Amino acid sequence: MDTMTAPAEPATDDRFETARITGEIDALAATHAGRDDTFRVAMAQLLKAEFVKARQTAQALLLQDRHGRHCAERLCFIQDEIIRILYAAATKHLYNSPNHSSGERMAVIATGGYGRGLMAPESDIDLLFILPYKQTAWGEQVAEAILYCLWDMGLKVGHATRSVDESIRQARADMTIRTAILETRYLTGDELLYAELVERFDKEVVEGTASEFVTAKLAERDERHRRSGQSRYLVEPNVKDGKGGLRDLHTLFWIAKYVYRVRESSQLVARGVFDAQEYRIFRRCEDFLWSVRCNIHFVANRAEERLSFDMQREIAVRLGYTSHPGMQDVERFMKHYFLIAKDVGDLTAILCAKLEDQEAKPAPALTRMMARLRPNPKRRRVPGSDDFVIDNNRINLAAPDVFKQDPVNLIRVFRLAQKNNLAFHPDAMRTVTRSLRLLNAQLRENPEANRLFMEILTSDNAEIVLRRMNETGVLGHFIRAFGKIVAMMQFNMYHHYTVDEHLLRCVGFLQEIERGGNDEFTVASDLMRKIRPEHRAVIYITVLLHDIAKGQPEDHSVAGARIARRLAPRLGFNAADTELIAWLIEKHLVMSTVAQSRDLSDRKTIENFAAVVESVEQMKLLTILTTADIRGVGPGVWNGWKAQLIRTLYYETEPVLTGGFSEVNRAERIRAAQAEFRAAFTEWPEAELNAYVSRHYPAYWLKVELARKIRHARFLRASEQAGHKLAINVGFDEARGVTELTILAVDHPWLLSIIAGACASAGANIVDAQIYTTTDGRALDTIAISREYDRDDDEGRRATRIGEMIEDILEGKVRLPEVVARRAAGKGKLKPFTVEPEVAINNQWSERYTVIEVSGLDRPGLLYQLTTSISKLNLNIASAHVATFGERARDVFYVTDLLGAQITAPTRQAAIKRALIHLLANGDVEQKQAS
């Protein structure tokens, strides 16, 4: 709890003119004498006007000096003064009792976040009215007068009225109330009551309960991290509750206050928790996070805590960031944000280490299972080294100069911790961070250091250990190219994490692929066992480096391959393996692109892909890399459909590379897929099952995953038995955050355009589409649309509306262009992204069709606009491959002219390209004009 220092003379404080305002309220009281209601209204209006003016001044100063903590202190001071003015007015003008009884005493106290003396612009005010005994009529009237006026001003106020006894009793029983009282701050009223609360809280609640409080607060923090996303490197972080955010700093200070009984964060230096440099980092983190949070609140005009994409650029500009080659202003700002979040994590680790030394919290291990099995002697030598000791289940230094004596120890400490399943002592990590100057060119070229690094990368728990190496700065100093992408975000909706976090997560998923047993990775796990043993290290270093050149002006795949050619020999790879690593990095996006945006039943697609991968071994490695890369992008990005596409592409290409021989040839794979379906789906008689199997083309059996095939079979049968010409089945994919519409209809040249238009008319954004036709002329299309509602039944109703719209269009009841135009006229603001429109037209990707690939900023109705424009250009769409990567739509259409021939005339190709680029760039404008 903070004691209140004597306030500065109000008349001389330019933050809020208390003396003048008090004088005006006294005048209002005289004017409205005997009419309390009108006096209260006039007082609330006056204070609201003053509050708005003072808040505008605070925002102007924040934009000028960019000092977040000063802004939060200023806003808090303004609020303090308003409450003091209200208390004075209530006790002087409204409920002035000349002879107070002993029970007619009250202290008004700030609690919770407000009690810290820092406020964000839209934060709640938490007040505690402390009474000596039970509530009195006078106390109730004064509290109500203050609260009603604050509410009339439009402020959000949380409040409680308790006696000192009741406060102590509730603080013992409830950890939330205990934390709130820990942060109380005297505002006005009877100061002796507040002093009594402080004294009794210290003696009766805090004393002897440090361990209980620390355990509860750290558990609370872990649960908060779980809810808001475990990583501190999520690209849309929560500034208040996210990992590495303000709440982590608050938790750190709550614990310090409780355990060390300090009043100010600066006292943590005197108590030996932080040194002077670490305390400066604490203040810098706090100031930066408050700057971000205050600006978010001012821009959003509400208590918004998530630093969303549409907010990031605005905040970057307000904080003065500018663009550099290869990095936008917003990306530079977010890199700074993530570095601050890392510092917050480091500070938390330092405090936790101090608490463990005092046995206020249990000691960790690298993995929890080992911690339960291991005895816990205090300090002993690490096996295989005299330079390190095991200190309370953590690796620590045997002497302060172990890194100076042998700089290779900067890598060795991580390998030994990994080998012996030890956590890292924060004192050791602190010394590592301060010894980074020893990581020079000589150490980077040291064969032993490079051998140890490769052992770390290719051994168990590599992701955990590499993350600790990254957080201490060792990884970025040892591999300098990696240092450039630390905390780097990409300003797009596809990637969920910063570049370095993505790479580390990919390594973790590669280890999961190698362990096997996860149905997500069946093909990759099988291939991992079949690659040459000497290529195991190749795939590990490739996964770690595949995005290492992000943020450079040129193509990151080409630049990354160049970095790999320089780095791999140093890490012990021979010339052939170095070239293989560089090739894999240069081609790491090819397999994903071909699988998701090409017709895999087209022979030419497979031949072209085979020409790129060159050998089965290289294709195996590329398949494993592609699987780990997509899975590491974020939750829901890797799914059964993508796994099936990758599998199909691999097995379609294998016979081309082996001269016709395949471990699993195409006919066999089709038979195997059908047999798998028959074995899993035993609901129908054999004759009906045989007839159903023959209704699907071979490509269907190869491309669609088993669970979806079973759903399709039940859906087709139910629809046809009900006599429906058009039927729609609705499903929900929670991992991807999409609603899936499976549509069965008589095939129609414009069907895809009609479906896309119906989705657009409902404001539904298509993120991918799987389009199949049965041998008897029925279309079976699965369209994935972004969710609009949280509840499944609301989403279901929206899907039903889309189905009704499709039926009305097919029956000619409504005209599609009109309903889409009406919807476009009412569209909201554009996304905060820019994507350069691209159109490629190619006759080399197919023998029969011209392939049109379009890429641009995704928007509701885009697929409808594209399919309509292509049809208006007198082209037939044979197949479409629809995919969305965050805000970027990438759609591929296999087309012919009206006579069924490829588009070969350069002038015709140029006209098509011109029309589609114009649509990508100006489609919204055109629609609004049409409407």
Side-chain angles (χ1 to χ4, degrees):
M1 284 176 283
D2 296 326
T3 52
M4 188 68 195
T5 54
E9 191 63 37
T12 60
D13 197 314
D14 67 346
R15 292 177 291 180
F16 202 70
E17 297 180 66
T18 304
R20 174 183 61 77
I21 297 164
T22 302
E24 290 183 24
I25 286 173
D26 290 343
L28 286 172
T31 304
H32 298 277
R35 291 172 293 149
D36 288 355
D37 288 349
T38 57
F39 168 59
R40 287 178 196 227
V41 171
M43 180 167 63
Q45 287 173 346
L46 170 66
L47 287 173
K48 183 173 183 177
E50 294 293 342
F51 175 71
V52 168
K53 191 166 67 174
R55 197 180 123 110
Q56 286 169 347
T57 304
Q59 180 171 195
L61 286 170
L62 176 65
L63 290 171
Q64 186 180 317
D65 65 15
R66 298 175 184 143
H67 203 310
R69 189 184 167 91
H70 285 176
C71 180
E73 286 170 346
R74 186 182 191 95
L75 290 167
C76 190
F77 175 81
I78 293 164
Q79 200 60 68
D80 290 354
E81 291 301 289
I82 288 171
I83 289 163
R84 290 186 189 116
I85 288 168
L86 284 171
Y87 179 81
T91 54
K92 180 179 175 183
H93 300 300
L94 293 170
Y95 307 108
N96 186 359
S97 176
N99 299 310
H100 284 297
S101 68
S102 61
E104 289 181 332
R105 296 157 57 213
M106 175 190 283
V108 185
I109 294 167
T111 67
Y114 180 37
R116 276 190 298 276
L118 298 163
M119 272 195 78
E122 299 290 334
S123 289
D124 295 0
I125 304 157
D126 292 313
L127 293 177
L128 176 60
F129 298 97
I130 288 287
L131 308 169
Y133 317 114
K134 65 182 191 312
Q135 178 67 283
T136 63
W138 176 85
E140 194 172 347
Q141 288 168 331
V142 170
E144 280 186 1
I146 293 170
L147 290 169
Y148 279 116
C149 193
L150 291 170
W151 288 329
D152 288 345
M153 290 170 63
L155 300 174
K156 298 181 287 291
V157 188
H159 64 97
T161 305
R162 298 190 198 105
S163 66
V164 175
D165 280 345
E166 194 183 349
S167 297
I168 298 301
R169 188 172 63 253
Q170 290 198 20
R172 282 202 204 101
D174 188 312
M175 200 59 73
T176 304
I177 293 173
R178 193 183 304 187
T179 308
I181 294 180
L182 178 70
E183 293 212 285
T184 53
R185 186 169 53 86
Y186 171 79
L187 289 175
T188 189
D190 192 320
E191 201 162 357
L192 290 175
L193 268 179
Y194 176 69
E196 183 188 344
L197 176 67
V198 170
E199 190 178 342
R200 287 187 58 186
F201 182 75
D202 277 358
K203 283 183 180 173
E204 298 175 33
V205 179
V206 174
E207 222 167 78
T209 61
S211 182
E212 174 197 353
F213 183 80
V214 170
T215 303
K217 284 292 128 187
L218 292 177
E220 196 179 279
R221 180 198 64 176
D222 292 344
E223 173 58 20
R224 179 164 41 78
H225 288 170
R226 188 193 64 73
R227 285 197 311 271
S228 60
Q230 277 291 348
S231 175
R232 67 174 62 98
Y233 304 112
L234 285 165
V235 293
E236 289 189 294
N238 187 307
V239 178
K240 180 183 173 187
D241 290 328
K243 196 170 186 178
L246 271 169
R247 184 67 84 211
D248 278 3
L249 280 183
H250 298 159
T251 302
L252 191 154
F253 193 44
W254 290 334
I255 290 170
K257 266 187 159 183
Y258 206 95
V259 175
Y260 298 103
R261 306 309 300 131
V262 298
R263 303 282 187 227
E264 298 292 335
S265 55
S266 57
Q267 293 172 282
L268 293 174
V269 178
R271 293 301 182 100
V273 179
F274 297 143
D275 61 24
Q277 182 186 346
E278 286 156 353
Y279 177 64
R280 281 196 299 274
I281 292 170
F282 180 95
R283 293 289 291 199
R284 191 178 72 226
C285 291
E286 190 179 40
D287 190 50
F288 177 83
L289 290 171
W290 272 111
S291 294
V292 174
R293 189 178 182 212
C294 286
N295 272 298
I296 291 175
H297 280 213
F298 278 130
V299 171
N301 210 24
R302 65 178 187 276
E304 177 61 66
E305 308 298 352
R306 195 169 66 105
L307 191 46
S308 57
F309 285 124
D310 58 353
M311 191 70 74
Q312 287 171 10
R313 175 159 276 131
E314 172 80 17
I315 304 302
V317 171
R318 286 170 78 101
L319 292 178
Y321 289 86
T322 55
S323 295
H324 284 192
M327 280 186 84
Q328 301 176 50
D329 49 3
V330 65
E331 290 170 334
R332 292 185 63 237
F333 158 55
M334 291 306 294
K335 177 163 185 165
H336 190 184
Y337 179 90
F338 293 121
L339 290 171
I340 289 288
K342 184 187 84 67
D343 285 341
V344 172
D346 294 345
L347 292 170
T348 306
I350 290 165
L351 177 67
C352 288
K354 291 289 179 188
L355 297 171
E356 284 155 19
D357 289 343
Q358 297 175 6
E359 299 184 347
K361 74 181 280 286
L366 197 58
T367 61
R368 286 185 176 86
M369 177 62 75
M370 290 301 293
R372 288 199 289 274
L373 300 175
R374 183 192 296 147
N376 187 20
K378 264 290 190 191
R379 213 174 149 95
R380 65 185 190 277
R381 193 174 67 83
V382 173
S385 174
D386 292 327
D387 291 333
F388 301 101
V389 294
I390 300 171
D391 182 350
N392 206 19
N393 286 345
R394 295 169 305 191
I395 194 164
N396 206 347
L397 313 183
D401 63 348
V402 295
F403 298 129
K404 197 172 181 182
Q405 293 301 320
D406 182 3
V408 175
N409 277 332
L410 283 164
I411 309 297
R412 189 176 287 119
V413 63
F414 293 97
R415 177 61 184 135
L416 288 170
Q418 181 184 37
K419 207 172 183 178
N420 296 284
N421 198 44
L422 299 169
F424 298 94
H425 197 290
D427 288 349
M429 295 300 95
R430 191 186 296 193
T431 311
V432 166
T433 301
R434 291 175 182 176
S435 305
L436 291 176
R437 67 186 183 283
L438 299 171
L439 258 164
N440 53 23
Q442 187 180 347
L443 179 59
R444 282 190 284 271
E445 295 297 331
N446 183 293
E448 174 68 0
N450 284 285
R451 183 188 65 77
L452 287 166
F453 177 77
M454 286 306 299
E455 282 185 15
I456 291 167
L457 177 60
T458 55
S459 301
D460 288 345
N461 297 316
E463 181 187 357
I464 296 169
V465 178
L466 288 168
R467 187 170 283 110
R468 293 301 281 133
M469 291 179 77
N470 190 32
E471 289 172 348
T472 53
V474 169
L475 187 53
H477 278 71
F478 190 65
I479 299 176
R480 287 195 293 179
F482 197 95
K484 292 176 182 174
I485 51 98
V486 168
M488 178 188 288
M489 74 157 290
Q490 301 153 77
F491 190 58
N492 62 53
M493 291 168 62
Y494 181 59
H495 292 91
H496 293 234
Y497 305 103
T498 56
V499 180
D500 55 330
E501 179 69 5
H502 165 67
L503 294 177
L504 298 180
R505 282 172 174 263
C506 288
V507 170
F509 287 120
L510 178 60
Q511 293 204 310
E512 200 175 325
I513 288 167
E514 186 171 28
R515 280 193 299 272
N518 187 336
D519 292 343
E520 278 189 273
F521 308 129
T522 308
V523 172
S525 293
D526 181 51
L527 296 178
M528 194 77 189
R529 289 189 290 273
K530 294 176 179 175
I531 61 171
R532 292 181 205 158
E534 65 269 24
H535 286 163
R536 181 175 178 272
V538 165
I539 191 63
Y540 269 94
I541 195 65
T542 302
V543 167
L544 180 66
L545 301 181
H546 72 270
D547 277 346
I548 201 160
K550 280 280 176 83
Q552 296 189 19
E554 64 179 310
D555 183 332
H556 79 280
S557 302
V558 175
R562 195 165 56 246
I563 290 168
R565 287 188 181 94
R566 288 199 306 269
L567 179 64
R570 190 191 101 190
L571 294 169
F573 291 95
N574 61 33
D577 286 348
T578 295
E579 202 48 46
L580 177 56
I581 293 163
W583 180 86
L584 284 166
I585 290 172
E586 189 168 339
K587 306 295 182 187
H588 77 269
L589 296 173
V590 170
M591 190 171 203
S592 170
T593 302
V594 172
Q596 293 181 68
S597 62
R598 299 285 181 271
D599 184 352
L600 302 185
S601 59
D602 191 310
R603 177 75 182 171
K604 192 72 174 171
T605 298
I606 303 305
E607 287 174 355
N608 288 348
F609 181 66
V612 172
V613 295
E614 298 172 352
S615 72
V616 173
E617 182 70 10
Q618 289 189 173
M619 185 167 68
K620 287 176 184 172
L621 293 167
L622 190 59
T623 305
I624 297 164
L625 171 60
T626 302
T627 304
D629 186 17
I630 298 174
R631 182 61 187 86
V633 166
V637 178
W638 175 259
N639 53 43
W641 173 55
K642 285 178 187 168
Q644 188 67 32
L645 291 177
I646 297 290
R647 178 195 187 107
T648 300
L649 178 57
Y650 179 88
Y651 285 120
E652 289 287 303
T653 310
E654 192 183 47
V656 178
L657 294 168
T658 54
F661 169 76
S662 171
E663 293 171 28
V664 191
N665 70 39
R666 192 167 198 267
E668 276 179 22
R669 282 190 299 109
I670 293 165
R671 280 196 295 275
Q674 292 172 346
E676 179 190 47
F677 173 74
R678 290 171 187 273
F681 190 63
T682 55
E683 302 167 17
W684 295 356
E686 190 175 352
E688 187 178 0
L689 196 59
N690 290 339
Y692 177 78
V693 167
S694 66
R695 287 180 72 178
H696 290 291
Y697 289 105
Y700 175 86
W701 295 107
L702 293 176
K703 287 184 184 178
V704 180
E705 66 270 33
L706 178 62
R708 193 181 296 275
K709 286 171 186 162
I710 291 170
R711 288 201 301 273
H712 282 170
R714 290 174 181 150
F715 172 52
L716 260 74
R717 186 197 210 193
S719 303
E720 289 171 350
Q721 284 179 347
H724 293 150
K725 286 188 289 183
L726 172 79
I728 294 184
N729 179 260
V730 181
F732 308 101
D733 188 334
E734 288 184 17
R736 295 165 65 205
V738 298
T739 297
E740 289 190 342
L741 309 179
T742 303
I743 299 159
L744 178 68
V746 175
D747 200 18
H748 182 292
W750 281 67
L751 182 61
L752 177 60
S753 188
I754 290 166
I755 292 169
C759 289
S761 71
N765 193 34
I766 297 174
V767 293
D768 69 45
Q770 300 172 49
I771 296 159
Y772 298 101
T773 307
T774 61
T775 55
D776 55 350
R778 303 297 296 271
L780 182 63
D781 298 346
T782 299
I783 308 294
I785 58 174
S786 300
R787 282 188 78 113
E788 187 169 317
Y789 303 105
D790 292 332
R791 291 161 54 91
D792 286 352
D793 50 356
D794 291 335
E795 274 294 299
R797 281 191 287 274
R798 183 169 74 131
T800 303
R801 286 200 306 274
I802 292 170
E804 289 168 354
M805 177 65 70
I806 294 169
E807 198 161 9
D808 287 349
I809 294 162
L810 286 171
E811 291 176 2
K813 292 179 182 175
V814 296
R815 290 191 68 250
L816 188 53
E818 290 171 6
V819 290
V820 174
R822 275 201 304 272
R823 176 77 194 190
K827 273 208 289 267
K829 64 177 183 178
L830 291 170
K831 291 175 184 172
F833 302 100
T834 53
V835 175
E836 192 65 30
E838 293 176 18
V839 175
I841 299 176
N842 196 308
N843 285 319
Q844 281 71 56
W845 292 335
S846 174
E847 297 283 7
R848 294 177 54 198
Y849 303 107
T850 293
V851 181
I852 301 175
E853 181 172 19
V854 301
S855 175
L857 183 64
D858 192 26
R859 59 178 182 254
L862 178 62
L863 183 60
Y864 165 69
Q865 293 168 20
L866 287 169
T867 51
T868 303
S869 293
I870 289 169
S871 297
K872 284 178 179 174
L873 289 163
N874 294 322
L875 300 172
N876 281 331
I877 300 173
S879 70
H881 305 266
V882 179
T884 307
F885 302 88
E887 76 284 359
R888 178 187 290 275
R890 183 177 288 150
D891 300 338
V892 176
F893 302 94
Y894 281 66
V895 304
T896 63
D897 64 16
L898 297 180
L899 299 174
Q902 285 185 322
I903 315 304
T904 54
T907 51
R908 182 97 192 272
Q909 287 187 6
I912 294 167
K913 189 170 183 177
R914 227 174 13 254
L916 294 179
I917 283 189
H918 181 74
L919 183 148
L920 288 168
N922 306 294
D924 281 355
V925 175
E926 285 186 349
Q927 277 204 353
K928 284 177 183 176
Q929 287 172 347
S931 68

